[in-house]
Amino acid sequence: MSLPPLVEPAAELTVDEVRRYSRHLIIPDVGMAGQKRLKNAKVLCVGAGGLGSPALLYLAAAGVGTLGIIDFDVVDESNLQRQVIHGQSDVGRPKAESAANSVREINPLIEVVVHNTVLTTENVMEIFSGYDLIVDGTDNFATRYMVNDAAVLLGKPYVWGSIYRFDGQASVFWAEHGPCYRCLYPEPPPPGMVPSCAEGGVLGVLCASVGSIQVNEAIKLLTGIGDPLVGRLMIYDALEMKYRDVKVRKDPECVLCGKNPTVTELLEDYEAFCGAVSEEAAEAASGSTITALELKAMQDNGENIFLVDVREPNEYEIVSIPGATLIPKGEFLNGSALERLPQDKKIVLHCKSGARSAEALAVVKNAGFADAVHVGGGVLSWVKTVDPSLPSY
Ligand code: ZN
């Protein structure tokens, strides 16, 4: 499958541009025409994080004329293991601004547009409409579905990538020519089922492997060369060092891009659609959530509590709350944790940020521990409010 170029060529390249892009210009498939198309191209990168870092660096170096960067977050020390667009001195700065700095240093001949804001249903259509193509480097399902829906509604291609531990995936979703993200994943996964990189970790260099696939595909679409990753899902296994691709068909029943779409505008609330925690967990946590400071006070007062850390052993090793017993969430879901809970103590659960402990809390309450509670914000909140000398992750 080949597709026509996404953008028209710019009128000309300057002498500086010819010098800079000479290694592109002497590739027959790219040539002057291809480089002029890149110059005329407007690409938006959603997220200046793990995938956005390599993507932005290479899109800039390649000479994409207008490069948009949207991110609301600030650079954290734990980002530097993989988000190579940011440096030590950028810690605490807005990611969008830090990324823009790096990009301008790599290529002063391109225009950089900084969107230092949260992408929302209010602004996504307007922001996207200024670009030819979207590169998706988001790390959560709510944003991902919103990016997909906006791209489909605006008829724009978007290059998607996803990373977790040693596994990467990438594809090009473009409803005009193939499937959209909803054709592949009609429903978001149940809350709590798919751990994020913040929960499960990611090998830093995996970002480069997947981000470079995304840039590769963006350049092909913009210039109309090669066989784009439309209708194919690229799956990369860094441990086996294997790439394979599987066909993804457009789903004629897709609620968004199928024959009889029922989703014809953006959803009102993507967070609710994807559910940060399940309904059961939200119900269990309502009225049964304490703060880290309240937990500290309970401990200091010698209250009769049994504190359970529901994270994984390697997380417990990084940082833990004094006195906590480790029983991973999975043991609550399969029921085996229950016999380890004392009947004569108040059960207090915690995890990293409060989502997993809410899931476990639902199980514990169902088993009859009516006064059980969990710590909102988890160990991260403990580090922040009770003992900042402990490491965060
Ligand atoms: Zn679809």
Side-chain angles (χ1 to χ4, degrees):
M1 176 185 190
S2 73
L3 292 172
L6 190 60
V7 291
E8 291 302 310
E12 56 174 15
L13 296 185
T14 64
V15 175
D16 284 347
E17 286 168 337
V18 170
R19 266 204 310 271
R20 177 176 287 260
Y21 305 125
S22 64
R23 297 301 184 278
H24 272 169
L25 299 176
I26 54 180
I27 306 175
D29 297 297
V30 182
M32 269 298 208
Q35 194 64 46
K36 285 177 180 172
R37 290 186 199 280
L38 292 178
K39 180 178 180 177
N40 222 10
K42 297 182 169 73
V43 172
L44 176 70
C45 190
V46 181
L51 294 173
S53 287
L56 285 164
L57 294 174
Y58 275 102
L59 288 166
V64 167
T66 303
L67 200 47
I69 306 171
I70 178 158
D71 204 306
F72 66 93
D73 209 359
V74 295
V75 181
D76 182 83
E77 214 176 342
S78 68
N79 300 147
L80 302 180
Q81 159 260 19
R82 65 199 177 284
Q83 301 182 13
V84 294
I85 204 165
H86 313 295
Q88 180 65 41
S89 61
D90 296 314
V91 170
R93 289 182 70 196
K95 283 189 184 179
E97 282 171 21
S98 159
N101 262 25
S102 304
V103 158
R104 288 190 184 108
E105 178 62 22
I106 280 176
N107 192 347
L109 304 184
I110 64 167
E111 193 173 324
V112 185
V113 184
V114 175
H115 305 273
N116 184 8
T117 179
V118 183
L119 195 64
T120 66
T121 50
E122 309 284 309
N123 63 17
V124 63
M125 297 297 269
E126 196 193 328
I127 292 175
F128 278 21
S129 62
Y131 295 91
D132 302 304
L133 177 145
I134 315 297
V135 171
D136 181 10
T138 54
D139 59 357
N140 67 84
F141 288 99
T143 313
R144 199 172 281 162
Y145 275 93
M146 182 171 72
V147 167
N148 176 68
D149 292 2
V152 170
L153 293 170
L154 291 164
K156 295 188 191 283
Y158 90 99
V159 186
W160 166 79
S162 148
I163 46 176
Y164 180 71
R165 293 188 175 163
F166 299 99
D167 298 320
Q169 297 186 349
S171 191
V172 173
F173 296 113
W174 195 358
E176 256 87 304
H177 300 283
C180 79
Y181 182 74
R182 282 181 186 257
C183 295
L184 178 60
Y185 297 112
E187 299 276 337
M193 282 301 289
V194 178
S196 67
C197 287
E199 274 176 35
V202 59
L203 187 72
V205 70
L206 184 71
C207 302
S209 309
V210 175
S212 68
I213 294 175
Q214 292 181 278
V215 175
N216 188 66
E217 293 309 306
I219 289 174
K220 282 160 60 186
L221 292 168
L222 295 167
T223 56
I225 60 175
D227 184 5
L229 204 52
V230 173
R232 288 187 291 146
L233 174 67
M234 182 60 75
I235 300 169
Y236 170 59
D237 180 334
L239 282 182
E240 296 285 326
M241 190 39 74
K242 273 186 186 152
Y243 287 92
R244 62 194 175 94
D245 67 329
V246 295
K247 271 208 162 58
V248 183
R249 290 195 171 76
K250 193 177 180 74
D251 178 3
E253 306 301 321
C254 176
V255 294
L256 184 67
C257 76
K259 280 181 302 207
N260 300 303
T262 52
V263 177
T264 54
E265 55 183 32
L266 292 180
L267 304 184
E268 248 169 56
D269 187 346
Y270 283 88
E271 295 284 348
F273 175 62
C274 295
V277 293
S278 70
E279 260 172 55
E280 283 165 339
E283 205 172 293
S286 138
S288 298
T289 303
I290 61 168
T291 66
L293 284 170
E294 283 167 338
L295 169 61
K296 177 77 169 90
M298 288 164 103
Q299 288 181 327
D300 290 348
N301 296 338
E303 283 182 41
N304 191 22
I305 62 168
F306 186 69
L307 179 62
V308 183
D309 184 340
V310 307
R311 297 174 303 154
E312 299 301 314
N314 50 343
E315 297 181 84
Y316 187 81
E317 230 173 83
I318 298 170
V319 60
S320 61
I321 298 179
T325 301
L326 179 72
I327 309 178
K329 188 190 83 177
E331 297 182 28
F332 286 89
L333 299 187
N334 70 24
S336 64
L338 294 170
E339 62 189 28
R340 295 178 58 187
L341 302 181
Q343 297 285 344
D344 56 345
K345 292 183 175 180
K346 184 183 177 82
I347 308 297
V348 181
L349 306 172
H350 88 82
C351 62
K352 181 183 182 184
S353 62
R356 280 175 283 173
S357 57
E359 302 284 336
L361 183 63
V363 174
V364 170
K365 287 200 151 190
N366 275 339
F369 296 87
D371 65 345
V373 294
H374 85 130
V375 182
V379 70
L380 292 185
S381 175
W382 177 274
V383 172
K384 218 176 198 171
T385 60
V386 178
D387 188 355
S389 74
L390 294 174
S392 236
Y393 68 104

